Amino acid sequence: MATKAVSVLITGANRGLGLEMVKQLVEASRDVRKLFACCRDPDGPRAEALQTLAKKHPDVIAVVRLDATDLCSIKQCAQQVGSVVGTGGLNLLINNAAVAVRTTMQETTPEELQHMFSTNVMGPMNIIKEFLPHLRAAAKASGTPGMSSCKAAIVNISSILGSIEGAKESYATYPCFSYRVSKAALNMLTLCASEELKKDEILLSVLHPGWVRTDMGGEEGEIDATESVRGLLGVMASLTEKQNGGFLDWKGRSIPW
Ligand SMILES: NC(=O)c1ccc[n+]([C@@H]2O[C@H](COP(=O)([O-])OP(=O)(O)OC[C@H]3O[C@@H](n4cnc5c(N)ncnc54)[C@H](OP(=O)(O)O)[C@@H]3O)[C@@H](O)[C@H]2O)c1
């Protein structure tokens, strides 16, 4: 069993790491009672694998439309989730959806940077704000002191490429300018939000999944999605207030900002 959370929401759940998280959570954990697997086009061909999985676990998985760049869809999704979880709230929100491109600063257009920010930064911010009532409800309903992912937590999936300290060493090999800038912003967003929300006992952490063989990571990735997600879910299950506002990798190792 990877996590003790009872209700979980994952964005970008139709492929890559998001889909693998849904798989492992539903197949390995009996404690996940409700899993909101969000994607931008639930009825389209890109969601077929997720829909097949959802059919196998109809009581647990709910496939819900959410486009991280569309505030209306985020609000509608939050309403749908609220009507299911009620006063029990949402225990764990995983902001996983993202886009990446491998261009340098000189190749980057304003439109590209804007697209990165809309998806990778404004998306998570809007999602956090819209789901906050459900996370607060979960923290209140838990009745236990402290912080954990089975009480009320937000995990933002970022990247080591968003580490400002690491950029000098890795930039020449992996430029990904706009992606790096957006993930560094996501990291700051998480840190600021963790300060704002600690009084509500809502935990926030940033996790780096490793270099993973997905559409984004490519075939040269160092690990597969199964290994990465096994690690990520283990780290999520172990989070306490000590890791609030922390930046960790899939093995639980601290990453410099
Ligand atoms: N793979 C790696 O090596 C690696 C390394 C470091 C960090 N990460 C991070 O890990 C997370 C998952 O990456 P991945 O490797 O699984 O990527 P992926 O295979 O490219 O999958 C990305 C997911 O995000 C979704 N998405 C993109 N734009 C969206 C939007 N506007 N609204 C909703 N969903 C959207 C995609 O949905 P569609 O099918 O609709 O496009 C897809 O489900 C990301 O945050 C990424 O930055 C990955």
Side-chain angles (χ1 to χ4, degrees):
M1 194 200 73
T3 176
K4 290 175 267 165
V6 295
S7 61
V8 182
L9 183 143
I10 304 170
T11 66
N14 58 307
R15 60 187 171 97
L17 293 170
L19 179 62
E20 183 61 28
M21 283 184 216
V22 177
K23 264 189 206 156
Q24 290 193 22
L25 279 172
V26 81
E27 281 165 10
S29 170
R30 273 186 233 115
D31 293 336
V32 175
R33 277 191 225 135
K34 204 75 213 174
L35 190 40
F36 301 97
C38 301
C39 60
R40 0 183 202 192
D41 186 11
D43 302 317
R46 288 164 95 84
E48 269 173 24
L50 176 61
Q51 290 288 7
T52 306
L53 189 62
K55 278 190 193 118
K56 277 202 234 164
H57 306 275
D59 297 336
V60 181
I61 302 176
V63 180
V64 189
R65 181 175 180 270
L66 184 150
D67 182 334
T69 62
D70 173 7
L71 184 56
C72 261
S73 84
I74 297 171
K75 283 181 187 283
Q76 276 170 4
C77 178
Q79 239 173 26
Q80 269 176 274
V81 168
S83 69
V84 176
V85 297
T87 52
L90 179 69
N91 300 104
L92 176 59
L93 163 64
I94 305 174
N95 273 311
N96 164 74
V99 284
V101 279
R102 208 186 149 116
T103 44
T104 63
M105 191 266 292
Q106 294 172 75
E107 290 161 346
T108 300
T109 61
E111 292 76 22
E112 181 190 305
L113 188 60
Q114 202 156 37
H115 179 53
M116 287 291 136
F117 263 76
S118 296
T119 314
N120 300 355
V121 188
M122 275 158 50
M125 182 194 76
N126 287 330
I127 293 166
I128 291 170
K129 286 168 69 175
E130 294 303 324
F131 284 88
L132 211 44
H134 307 322
L135 287 149
R136 283 201 177 108
K140 203 171 155 200
S142 113
T144 53
M147 290 177 167
S148 72
S149 61
C150 59
K151 180 176 173 176
I154 300 166
V155 169
N156 289 334
I157 305 295
S158 185
S159 169
I160 200 161
L161 297 184
S163 165
I164 290 175
E165 218 173 305
K168 270 195 181 175
E169 207 181 291
S170 64
Y171 188 72
T173 324
Y174 309 106
C176 309
F177 168 79
S178 55
Y179 178 71
R180 281 178 184 270
V181 174
S182 73
K183 290 296 193 182
L186 176 67
N187 292 355
M188 180 59 94
L189 184 163
T190 314
L191 200 54
C192 297
S194 74
E195 285 300 310
E196 278 189 39
L197 301 179
K198 65 183 175 193
K199 64 177 185 319
D200 296 305
E201 297 188 327
I202 298 172
L203 185 154
L204 276 106
S205 289
V206 178
L207 297 188
H208 163 63
W211 183 13
V212 195
R213 292 187 290 276
T214 60
D215 291 341
M216 186 183 289
E219 285 171 8
E220 289 164 32
E222 285 167 353
I223 51 172
D224 61 19
T226 312
E227 193 178 357
S228 166
V229 168
R230 200 178 298 131
L232 288 173
L233 295 179
V235 174
M236 288 183 212
S238 71
L239 294 174
T240 67
E241 48 270 41
K242 277 192 196 140
Q243 288 82 31
N244 189 34
F247 185 11
L248 306 170
D249 76 0
W250 60 289
K251 286 187 169 172
R253 296 171 297 202
S254 234
I255 298 178
W257 294 107

